[in-house]
Amino acid sequence: MVTKASAEDSCWTACWSSISQVEKFHIILNMEKEEKKYVNKAEEDEMEIYGYDLCRWKLVLVTVGVICSGGFLLLLLYWMPQWRVKATCKRSALKDCEVVLLRTTDEFKIWFCAKVRVMPSLGANPLRNPNPLVHKVSNGHAVHFSESAAEENKNDSKKYLPIRYFTHHSVKYFWNDSVQSFDVVRGLDESTFCSAIHNEHSTGLTKGMHDYRKAFYGVNEIAVKVPSIFKLLVKEVLNPFYIFQLFSVILWITDEYHYYALAIVIMSVISIVSSLYTIRKQYVMLHDMVAAHSIVRVSVCRGNQEIEEILSTDLVPGDTMLIPSNGTIMPCDAVLLSGTCIVNESMLTGESVPVTKINLPNPSEYPKAVGDEIYSPEVHKRHTLFCGTNVIQTRFYTGELVKALVVRTGFSTAKGQLVRSILYPKPTDFKLYRDAYLFLLSLVVVAGIGFLYTIVNSILNEVPAHTIIIESLDIITITVPPALPAAMTAGIVYAQRRLKKIGIFCISPQRINICGQLNLVCFDKTGTLTEDGLDLWGIQRVENARFLLPEERACSESLLKSEFVACMATCHSLTKIEGVLSGDPLDLKMFEAIGWILEEATEEETALHNQIMPTVVRPSKQLSPESKQATDQEMELFELSTGYEIGIVRQFPFSSVLQRMCVIARVLGEKRMDAYMKGAPEVIASLCKQETVPVDFEHVLEEYTKQGFRVIALAHRKLESKLTWHKVQTISRDAIESNMDFMGLIIMQNKLKQETPAVLEDLHKANIRTVMVTGDNMLTAISVARDCGMILPQDKVIIAEALPPKDGQAARINWHYADTLAKCTSSSPAINSEDIPVKLVHESLEDLQMTKYHFAMNGKSFAVILEHFQDLVPKLVLHGTVFARMAPDQKTQLVEALQNVDYYVGMCGDGANDCGALKRAHGGISLSELEASVASPFTSRTPSISCVPKLIREGRAALITSFCVFKFMALYSIIQYITVTLLYSILSNLGDFQFLFIDLAIILVVVFTMSLNPAWTELVAQRPPSGLISGPLLCSVLSQIIICLAFQTFGFFWVKQQSWYEPWTADSELQYFLACF
C-alpha cells in the first residue's frame, strides 16, 4: 500500500528529474537567497548565519595564490573572514555544513567564521531524558535502539547521536531541528514554571543525567584565558599597519636607507612591546577578577537522596546544591528552594548593601495563594542567587538544608554575560575614525598615481628594472607614512597618563577622543549629585485622616508602642552580620532614629524549632518606661522578664518595580498579626483606604518634595485572627497590600555634594547640556535640579504625564506645570499641547540654552511615550531635563534616544543600577570602584562629579592633538611626495641623510612633542570638530598643499632655467668622477 507521503515524494522526484541542470542551479541559488537564517534573533547580538562546506579545488587555487603572492593573499584572507570562507568553501545547507559564516545585523556588519564540530550524545535536548528507544538525529533521520542489553552493547556505536555545534565568543550554538538553525542551549531560566522547579527539578540529578547534560553545557567556568606572549605578538604583528611598516623597512634596507629603517624598527618594537604589556595586563586583571573563588567544592543532592561533594566546575543546570551556613561565593546562577540567604551583590549592582534572598514559593502547594508562572532570574531576582555574589549567611529549617537549584552556568550566568561584554566589546563608532580611513584611502589613491607616474617615467628614461621597482614602491611609503598610527596613538597615550594622575582610570583608550565631543551629560542623583547618606529630618503622623504637626524625633516615650514606630522598627531589610547591623542606608537611618534593638535567632535557637525563628525587634532599655523604674539590683531580673517585643514573621522585600516593601509582624503576646508597609507616598496612598488618607496629602507631599526632601510613606493593617503562621508564609503579596490605614510620612534629607553646583555651572558655560536620570520621586528630583543649577530659578518645568490605553481610550499625554502638579485635578485646566511655549525644533543644539522651559517625566510616562508616541520622543528628549522613577533599562533607553538625536552622551553614575547606561553612553564615568563598574569605560577614584569636566578637557586635548598630528603627517607626506615626484622627473632623489633629517629631526620630534601639550585649564563653549572631512580642516590642508606645490614647482623650474644648471646624466657623473682623479 502506497502512503500519501510516499506518493508525494515520488511525484516530487519525477518533477525534479525533468528539470534541466541550469534550472536546478537557479532554483538552488534562489533557495539559498531566500534561506536567510539568524542566531540570537531579536537580541542585542543578533547575527545572520550561512552554511559552507570545504571545497578542495578552491583550496588548491588559494594555496597557489598564496605561494605566488608571497603570502600576501594569506594575510588578506586572515584580515577578511568572509573572503577566506568564500575563497575556500562552497555554499551548503546549514544542517549539513562544515563551516558557518556569521555577520552582525547592527550598523557595523562585522563578519566572523566558525568551524562546525560534532559530538556524540544520547539525545538532542539536554533538559529532557534521552529516550532509550527512538532518538531523532539533528539531520532529521531516526535511529532505533534495541531494548535488549546484549544488543545495546553490541550496537553501542549506534546509540549515540551526532550533535552538531560551533563556538562563537565563548558560547556554544547547537543545531536545533525545530527552528532549522543553530541555537544556544538554554538552562532552566526560560520556559520553566515555578511549580516545575519544585516538583520536577528539586530532587537533583542522577549521575547519568548529570553526565548527559554536562556534554551540552560543558565545564562550569568563566574562562578568561590569558593568551601567551607569542600568540599576542603574532596577532599584533599581523595588524595591517605593522605589515605595511615591515614592507617599508624591507624596501628601505634594499634601497640602503638603513638609518630611518632602524628608527622605524625601534619605534615599532617599542609600540608593540607597550601594546603587548597593556593587553596582557588587562587580560591578567580580568582573569584574576573572574578566577577569584571561581572553583570551590560544593555539595549536591543526587536523585537517590545521596549528597555528593564535587567541584563547582562540574555543576550543570538541574543540579541541586547545598548552600553552606558560613556562606560561599556563588559559582553559578541558582534559584533558592528552601531557607533564606543574606547576599552581597556588589559585583552586579554596585551596591555593597546586603540583600535578603528568600526561597521561591511553590505554587502547587498553595494554588489559591500563589499563581504559577514561568521562572525568570530577572523577575524572580529576590529568589535568585547570582554567580559571583557573596552569600554571607544562611538561615534554615531543622532537617531541611538551604538548597538552591542551578539554573545557569558558565558564560550564560549574569557574571558570565558581564565578562563577555568586556572580552568582546562592540566597536566604537566615531566620525574621526571613519574620516581617517577615508583620508588614508585618498592618500593611497595619490600614491597609486605617483606609483604609475614613476614606472612610466623610469621606463621612458630607460632606468634599470631593479631601480624602477624600488623607486615606484618607495613613493607609496612616502605618501602613506608608516609612522602615522604611532603618531596618532601618542596623544591618546599621553591623555590616558594625565587622566591616571588625576584619579581617572580608563579601560577603553579610544573613548578618550570621543569624550572631547560630549555635549550632553546624564547624571544619576543619589550618590552622584547628592550625598550618599540620608538624614532623618522629621516625621509627620496622621490621626483621624488629618496630618499632625511635624515632629523632629520618633523615639519619644509617648510613641514607643505606637503603630507608626512599630512600622519603622519592622518594615526594613536589616540584618546582623558578625554582630554589626547592615542593610540599606535609608533603612539604617530610619531604624537608628527610633533607637530600637534588632535580634536574630542563632543557629542553636533555630534548631530547637521546626521553623525559621523570626527576627525580633524591641526598644532599648533607655527607651522602655520599665527600665527607668528598675534599680541596679533589679536590672538583671528585668533583662529576663518579658517586655514589649515585635517579631517579624514574613517579609516582602522592597521592589523597585512596585516601589514599596511590606512585612507581617506580631507583637509578643498578641493573637492577631499586623501588616506594615512603606514606600513611595503616591503608591502607598493608592493602596490605603481613601478615608484614612488626608485630603491635603498631595499638597503636603508637594511642599516637602519641592524643598528637596525624600519622603517615605507608612501604612498599617490589622490582619484577621484566622491567619496562622503557616498561612502567612504562603499568602500572596497582593492579598496583604490592600485596604491599609495611612499612618503618615517620614521626611529624609539628602544634601547636595559641595562641588555639584560649581561643576554644573562650568558645564553650562561650555554649552554642555545636563540631564538628571534618577529612581527618586519626580518633585524631589526637580527640587534638586533647581538647587544644583540644572534648572534656573526663572525657568518653568512642564511635567509630561503619559497615560496608557485604558477602557477603549487611546493613550494620551497630560501636560502640567510642576508648580501646580498637586493642584491639578480633573476639573482644573491642564496645558494644551498646542500652547506649550517651547520651540520644539532647533536649527542647532546650542539654541537649547535659550529655552526657558524644561520637560520632566517619570519612568511610566517615558515607557508609554516610547511605545505610543514615537514621533514625540526626539522633541521631548531635546528639552527633557528631569527623568524620575527610571528603571535601569529605561536609563539605557534614554541614552539611546539622546544618541538618536545626534548628541554625544556622557553618563555619570555611582555604579548602582547605572551599568547599562554607563556602557551604552559615548563616555560612561563610574564613581564606584566596585566590580560592577568594570564594564564602564572610565572609573573615577574620587566619588565626585568634578571628574566630568576633567575628562572632557582631556578628551578635547587628545582630539585636537589627533587632528593636528593627522594634518601634520598628511602634509608632510604630500609635501615630500611632491618633492620626490619632481626629482624623479630628472632621475634624481633626496639623499639618505636628507630623508633622515626630515623624518627624524623634523617630523618625529615635532609629532611626539606636539602630543605633550596638556589640556586647557577650563572648559570653553567652542568644541573641537568631530571629523576630518569638514570645511575648515580641508581648506587648511588643501591651501597649504597648494602653496607648497606652487613654491616647489616654481623653484624647481626656475633653477632648471638658470645658466649654471646642467641636467644630470650617467655620462656627466662619470666625467665628474674621472675629473676628481
Side-chain angles (χ1 to χ4, degrees):
M1 181 178 178
V2 180
T3 63
K4 182 180 178 182
S6 60
E8 288 178 352
D9 289 342
S10 59
C11 180
W12 164 250
T13 306
C15 292
W16 179 253
S17 59
S18 64
I19 300 174
S20 67
Q21 291 297 324
V22 176
E23 289 174 331
K24 285 180 182 179
F25 174 77
H26 285 295
I27 289 172
I28 293 172
L29 192 63
N30 290 331
M31 286 173 66
E32 287 181 349
K33 287 181 179 179
E34 291 173 6
E35 187 188 352
K36 184 176 282 189
K37 301 290 185 180
Y38 296 90
V39 292
N40 306 324
K41 184 71 174 176
E43 296 180 21
E44 187 181 1
D45 53 349
E46 180 185 85
M47 293 178 289
E48 297 173 5
I49 181 169
Y50 306 93
Y52 284 86
D53 282 339
L54 286 173
C55 181
R56 292 186 178 181
W57 66 266
K58 283 188 175 184
L59 279 171
V60 172
L61 284 181
V62 168
T63 305
V64 172
V66 168
I67 295 171
C68 294
S69 63
F72 179 74
L73 179 60
L74 187 63
L75 278 173
L76 197 62
L77 296 180
Y78 170 78
W79 294 329
M80 310 293 286
Q82 69 274 29
W83 291 7
R84 180 166 74 249
V85 172
K86 292 177 181 179
T88 58
C89 304
K90 60 182 178 181
R91 277 295 300 271
S92 70
L94 267 181
K95 66 178 182 179
D96 301 317
C97 67
E98 298 174 356
V99 177
V100 291
L101 188 61
L102 305 161
R103 187 177 72 164
T104 60
T105 56
D106 56 16
E107 66 272 22
F108 301 105
K109 307 292 183 187
I110 303 173
W111 291 90
F112 302 96
C113 65
K115 185 179 180 180
V116 177
R117 302 180 185 276
V118 179
M119 73 170 190
S121 175
L122 290 172
N125 190 334
L127 297 180
R128 294 179 184 173
N129 289 326
N131 191 336
L133 298 179
V134 179
H135 290 287
K136 192 175 183 182
V137 188
S138 58
N139 62 7
H141 301 291
V143 179
H144 295 265
F145 301 116
S146 172
E147 295 183 13
S148 167
E151 289 184 20
E152 186 177 339
N153 292 331
K154 184 179 179 181
N155 301 316
D156 188 60
S157 60
K158 293 183 180 180
K159 71 178 181 178
Y160 290 103
L161 310 180
I163 305 298
R164 305 171 64 255
Y165 72 96
F166 69 89
T167 305
H168 173 68
H169 285 178
S170 303
V171 174
K172 284 184 178 180
Y173 295 82
F174 290 86
W175 177 255
N176 187 336
D177 259 341
S178 59
V179 296
Q180 286 294 299
S181 182
F182 287 91
D183 197 9
V184 178
V185 174
R186 309 288 178 179
L188 297 175
D189 56 320
E190 290 187 12
S191 306
T192 306
F193 282 92
C194 294
S195 58
I197 284 178
H198 282 280
N199 302 334
E200 299 174 17
H201 302 284
S202 60
T203 55
L205 301 175
T206 62
K207 183 65 177 172
M209 193 65 187
H210 173 272
D211 295 339
Y212 168 61
R213 289 192 180 181
K214 192 176 179 183
F216 285 88
Y217 294 107
V219 178
N220 172 38
E221 64 175 348
I222 303 171
V224 180
K225 296 179 180 177
V226 179
S228 65
I229 294 176
F230 177 76
K231 191 173 182 179
L232 284 174
L233 178 64
V234 171
K235 189 175 180 181
E236 188 72 15
V237 167
L238 292 182
N239 184 292
F241 284 109
Y242 286 124
I243 294 297
F244 181 65
Q245 284 185 339
L246 178 64
F247 160 75
S248 302
V249 167
I250 293 171
L251 181 66
W252 292 331
I253 291 173
T254 306
D255 198 24
E256 298 182 354
Y257 183 31
H258 302 292
Y259 301 105
Y260 189 59
L262 182 63
I264 289 294
V265 167
I266 293 171
M267 190 168 63
S268 298
V269 168
I270 293 172
S271 177
I272 290 172
V273 169
S274 174
S275 180
L276 288 181
Y277 173 77
T278 305
I279 294 171
R280 186 172 171 81
K281 185 181 177 183
Q282 289 178 350
Y283 268 111
V284 170
M285 286 177 61
L286 187 60
H287 175 270
D288 292 345
M289 184 198 84
V290 173
H293 311 291
S294 62
I295 302 178
V296 294
R297 297 200 73 86
V298 294
S299 298
V300 296
C301 299
R302 290 296 172 217
N304 53 6
Q305 302 300 318
E306 291 184 1
I307 294 177
E308 180 185 355
E309 192 175 85
I310 62 172
L311 287 175
S312 58
T313 49
D314 293 327
L315 289 172
V316 297
D319 272 330
T320 300
M321 63 180 292
L322 305 181
I323 310 298
S325 58
N326 59 346
T328 184
I329 302 292
M330 285 300 296
C332 58
D333 287 353
V335 58
L336 205 56
L337 297 174
S338 61
T340 305
C341 293
I342 298 166
V343 185
N344 185 331
E345 292 187 326
S346 61
M347 195 283 299
L348 292 178
T349 65
E351 295 177 335
S352 56
V353 176
V355 179
T356 301
K357 301 283 187 174
I358 58 176
N359 62 296
L360 182 74
N362 187 354
S364 60
E365 291 183 2
Y366 304 94
K368 294 182 180 179
V370 183
D372 201 3
E373 58 183 342
I374 293 176
Y375 168 75
S376 167
E378 287 70 34
V379 176
H380 300 92
K381 64 172 67 174
R382 286 294 175 183
H383 314 292
T384 305
L385 304 172
F386 292 101
C387 179
T389 58
N390 184 11
V391 178
I392 304 169
Q393 285 181 359
T394 63
R395 302 181 71 193
F396 53 89
Y397 299 91
T398 301
E400 186 175 354
L401 300 175
V402 180
K403 297 179 181 179
L405 178 70
V406 178
V407 292
R408 294 188 299 202
T409 57
F411 279 98
S412 298
T413 62
K415 183 179 179 180
Q417 291 168 12
L418 176 64
V419 173
R420 280 188 71 225
S421 69
I422 301 169
L423 285 174
Y424 313 106
K426 268 194 169 184
T428 304
D429 185 26
F430 189 36
K431 198 170 185 296
L432 169 66
Y433 303 131
R434 295 198 306 268
D435 290 353
Y437 285 119
L438 289 174
F439 211 92
L440 281 175
L441 189 61
S442 302
L443 291 179
V444 170
V445 172
V446 173
I449 296 170
F451 178 79
L452 294 175
Y453 165 78
T454 304
I455 292 175
V456 172
N457 183 65
S458 299
I459 291 173
L460 292 176
N461 288 278
E462 299 179 355
V463 176
H466 172 75
T467 307
I468 293 176
I469 293 172
I470 291 178
E471 290 185 347
S472 58
L473 292 176
D474 191 33
I475 203 157
I476 295 176
T477 65
I478 290 171
T479 316
V480 185
L484 182 59
M488 288 286 287
T489 307
I492 297 174
V493 171
Y494 293 142
Q496 189 175 6
R497 288 179 181 173
R498 289 194 294 266
L499 284 172
K500 190 174 181 179
K501 286 180 182 178
I502 58 178
I504 300 174
F505 298 95
C506 173
I507 63 170
S508 180
Q510 297 302 323
R511 295 285 184 110
I512 297 175
N513 270 340
I514 303 177
C515 287
Q517 276 295 308
L518 295 183
N519 52 7
L520 183 147
V521 183
C522 296
F523 291 97
D524 180 39
K525 185 181 78 69
T526 307
T528 303
L529 296 174
T530 61
E531 298 286 353
D532 266 323
L534 289 166
D535 297 319
L536 183 71
W537 182 85
I539 63 173
Q540 190 157 9
R541 294 183 296 126
V542 170
E543 285 186 6
N544 300 322
R546 296 183 63 183
F547 276 114
L548 303 178
L549 292 175
E551 302 167 75
E552 286 187 21
R553 298 175 69 246
C555 57
S556 62
E557 192 174 306
S558 60
L559 297 177
L560 186 64
K561 295 187 177 182
S562 67
E563 291 169 343
F564 192 95
V565 170
C567 184
M568 294 178 68
T570 58
C571 198
H572 53 71
S573 57
L574 301 178
T575 186
K576 278 192 172 180
I577 299 173
E578 297 180 356
V580 179
L581 204 60
S582 303
D584 185 89
L586 186 148
D587 288 345
L588 274 172
K589 284 288 182 183
M590 183 182 71
F591 192 76
E592 289 170 358
I594 59 174
W596 282 40
I597 295 172
L598 181 141
E599 293 179 347
E600 290 180 326
T602 62
E603 292 182 18
E604 292 78 12
E605 290 172 329
T606 302
L608 294 174
H609 303 80
N610 193 27
Q611 60 189 36
I612 292 180
M613 292 295 291
T615 298
V616 174
V617 292
R618 59 179 175 82
S620 64
K621 297 170 186 176
Q622 290 78 12
L623 293 176
S624 178
E626 292 86 349
S627 66
K628 293 183 179 179
Q629 298 170 4
T631 62
D632 293 338
Q633 290 81 8
E634 295 170 330
M635 187 61 70
E636 191 172 333
L637 179 63
F638 167 75
E639 290 178 0
L640 297 173
S641 65
T642 302
Y644 180 66
E645 294 182 348
I646 305 176
I648 302 172
V649 179
R650 189 177 178 193
Q651 182 187 94
F652 296 100
F654 175 79
S655 166
S656 57
V657 177
L658 300 176
Q659 298 178 14
R660 63 181 184 270
M661 78 167 292
C662 179
V663 295
I664 299 174
R666 185 168 68 182
V667 178
L668 189 66
E670 294 283 336
K671 291 184 178 180
R672 296 174 68 178
M673 297 186 188
D674 299 271
Y676 297 103
M677 182 168 61
K678 84 171 192 306
E682 310 94 325
V683 176
I684 299 299
S686 68
L687 297 171
C688 291
K689 301 172 188 172
Q690 288 306 303
E691 60 268 21
T692 65
V693 180
V695 179
D696 58 345
F697 163 74
E698 291 182 340
H699 173 74
V700 171
L701 177 61
E702 181 192 17
E703 289 300 316
Y704 283 125
T705 53
K706 280 172 64 177
Q707 296 175 57
F709 291 113
R710 184 169 182 180
V711 184
I712 306 295
L714 305 183
H716 164 261
R717 174 185 165 191
K718 203 77 175 173
L719 299 179
E720 297 81 2
S721 57
K722 64 179 181 180
L723 277 177
T724 63
W725 190 92
H726 287 287
K727 287 183 179 178
V728 162
Q729 298 305 314
T730 57
I731 196 168
S732 69
R733 186 169 187 162
D734 293 337
I736 297 296
E737 295 177 339
S738 60
N739 295 319
M740 308 286 281
D741 294 330
F742 192 81
M743 290 199 300
L745 305 172
I746 299 175
I747 300 98
M748 314 290 285
Q749 191 175 21
N750 192 204
K751 297 177 182 177
L752 275 178
K753 288 184 177 179
Q754 187 176 358
E755 64 277 1
T756 295
V759 171
L760 294 184
E761 186 181 0
D762 289 343
L763 293 175
H764 290 159
K765 285 180 180 177
N767 281 347
I768 296 173
R769 188 179 152 204
T770 55
V771 171
M772 185 189 296
V773 191
T774 178
D776 209 343
N777 175 280
M778 185 187 295
L779 292 179
T780 302
I782 292 172
S783 173
V784 172
R786 287 193 183 278
D787 291 343
C788 67
M790 197 175 283
I791 299 175
L792 299 178
Q794 67 272 18
D795 291 356
K796 292 287 185 182
V797 179
I798 297 173
I799 293 179
E801 183 188 4
L803 303 174
K806 188 178 181 182
D807 299 331
Q809 294 183 346
R812 68 183 192 277
I813 302 177
N814 295 332
W815 311 90
H816 303 288
Y817 286 117
D819 297 337
T820 59
L821 178 65
K823 302 173 186 176
C824 288
T825 62
S826 57
S827 60
S828 63
I831 307 173
N832 191 324
S833 58
E834 296 179 0
D835 299 332
I836 296 175
V838 180
K839 184 182 177 186
L840 291 179
V841 181
H842 293 278
E843 294 179 1
S844 65
L845 295 176
E846 284 75 10
D847 294 342
L848 290 172
Q849 303 301 323
M850 303 303 295
T851 303
K852 300 299 179 185
Y853 291 84
H854 305 261
F855 285 124
M857 67 193 76
N858 59 25
K860 291 180 180 177
S861 296
F862 183 70
V864 173
I865 291 168
L866 278 182
E867 185 176 356
H868 300 284
F869 300 95
Q870 276 288 338
D871 56 326
L872 275 181
V873 173
K875 300 175 183 179
L876 286 173
V877 298
L878 278 172
H879 296 275
T881 302
V882 175
F883 296 84
R885 299 291 190 207
M886 296 286 279
D889 58 330
Q890 290 177 327
K891 292 183 179 183
T892 306
Q893 291 169 352
L894 175 63
V895 169
E896 291 175 347
L898 289 165
Q899 290 172 336
N900 290 338
V901 290
D902 294 332
Y903 273 113
Y904 285 96
V905 182
M907 174 70 196
C908 184
D910 59 356
N913 302 325
D914 298 320
C915 288
L918 287 168
K919 208 167 76 173
R920 181 71 66 190
H922 290 109
I925 314 159
S926 172
L927 302 186
S928 167
E929 292 189 70
L930 296 170
E931 288 177 323
S933 301
V934 75
S936 179
F938 303 94
T939 301
S940 173
R941 181 186 295 167
T942 308
S944 162
I945 65 169
S946 58
C947 63
V948 175
K950 292 176 183 176
L951 176 62
I952 296 174
R953 286 193 291 107
E954 290 296 344
R956 289 185 176 185
L959 185 57
I960 284 294
T961 301
S962 296
F963 280 127
C964 292
V965 167
F966 206 99
K967 285 167 59 179
F968 186 79
M969 293 294 285
L971 281 171
Y972 137 72
S973 62
I974 292 296
I975 291 169
Q976 198 172 69
Y977 169 80
I978 294 169
T979 303
V980 172
T981 304
L982 290 172
L983 290 174
Y984 276 3
S985 67
I986 57 170
L987 303 180
S988 183
N989 200 354
L990 295 173
D992 285 355
F993 282 101
Q994 288 176 309
F995 272 124
L996 192 65
F997 179 77
I998 294 170
D999 293 340
L1000 289 182
I1002 299 178
I1003 305 306
L1004 291 185
V1005 171
V1006 173
V1007 163
F1008 285 101
T1009 53
M1010 185 191 300
S1011 301
L1012 289 171
N1013 288 329
W1016 184 239
T1017 54
E1018 60 184 34
L1019 280 176
V1020 295
Q1022 186 178 359
R1023 291 192 306 275
S1026 60
L1028 288 167
I1029 312 299
S1030 62
L1033 279 170
L1034 287 177
C1035 286
S1036 171
V1037 173
L1038 291 175
S1039 59
Q1040 187 70 26
I1041 290 173
I1042 291 169
I1043 291 170
C1044 289
L1045 177 64
F1047 269 88
Q1048 286 199 44
T1049 306
F1050 173 78
F1052 179 75
F1053 287 105
W1054 182 79
V1055 167
K1056 287 182 70 174
Q1057 292 176 358
Q1058 299 305 307
S1059 57
W1060 44 263
Y1061 173 78
E1062 291 184 9
W1064 178 90
T1065 60
D1067 294 337
S1068 62
E1069 184 176 354
L1070 180 61
Q1071 291 174 5
Y1072 174 79
F1073 180 75
L1074 293 173
C1076 292
F1077 291 94

